Amino acid sequence: MSKKYLNIYNNLIKLTRNKDLYKSLDRDDNFSDRLTLFLLHFAFFLKNFKNEENKIILQEIYDFNFRQLELSIREIGYGDQSINKKMKDYINLFHAMVSEIHFWRNLTRTQKIEKFSIFLSDFKEKHHLLDYFELFNEDLSKKTLNSYLKSVSNQ
């Protein structure tokens, strides 16, 4: 497997490990929580760089990230049949996220919180997460896809 997009994947993982993201969770975070936040980061990433010029590269990044997720699930110890079902669920979840944030800039703060509530039901204080993702989205919009491809760490 090509490691061409490993930096992007690792940066998204690093962002997902930010302990501040989990402070409004009433329990210890788990793989599912981390995966949900990873997919949200990735959804905003793709949304920001989606254009005709980046189409092929973004598809390759998408494929790479989901292959990496599948490897992570295998490492946890799921069997082949479970992995196929889980991957289908995760891909559907991701596409739902992409759909919900498609018109992100046109949504009110209340509407954005409602969108987060769909995917982050176990988190009490979604305002904190919204503030975080607003900054993340703004940071993405100030950079180019090429800057993410060329750098080792963007955070």
Side-chain angles (χ1 to χ4, degrees), residues 33-95:
D33 299 324
R34 288 178 182 250
L35 181 64
T36 300
L37 290 172
F38 172 85
L39 292 175
L40 271 173
H41 280 98
F42 189 38
F44 277 102
F45 179 88
L46 288 183
K47 179 191 157 313
N48 269 276
F49 297 117
K50 182 182 176 185
N51 62 38
E52 200 57 39
E53 181 182 317
N54 295 334
K55 186 177 182 179
I56 292 170
I57 293 172
L58 290 177
Q59 182 63 52
E60 290 172 355
I61 293 169
Y62 173 94
D63 294 342
F64 181 85
N65 280 349
F66 278 101
R67 272 194 305 270
Q68 290 299 111
L69 287 177
E70 182 178 344
L71 289 173
S72 295
I73 294 168
R74 286 184 189 283
E75 287 177 10
I76 291 172
Y78 286 100
D80 286 340
Q81 287 181 336
S82 293
I83 289 172
N84 290 339
K85 182 186 180 324
K86 291 238 176 254
M87 287 307 297
K88 182 179 178 185
D89 292 344
Y90 295 147
I91 289 170
N92 287 337
L93 173 64
F94 176 73
H95 285 277

Side-chain angles (χ1 to χ4, degrees), residues 118-133:
I118 296 168
F119 308 110
L120 303 169
S121 59
D122 288 347
F123 290 79
K124 291 186 312 182
E125 290 296 320
K126 293 174 188 76
H127 294 279
H128 166 72
L129 290 169
L130 176 58
D131 292 341
Y132 169 85
F133 276 99

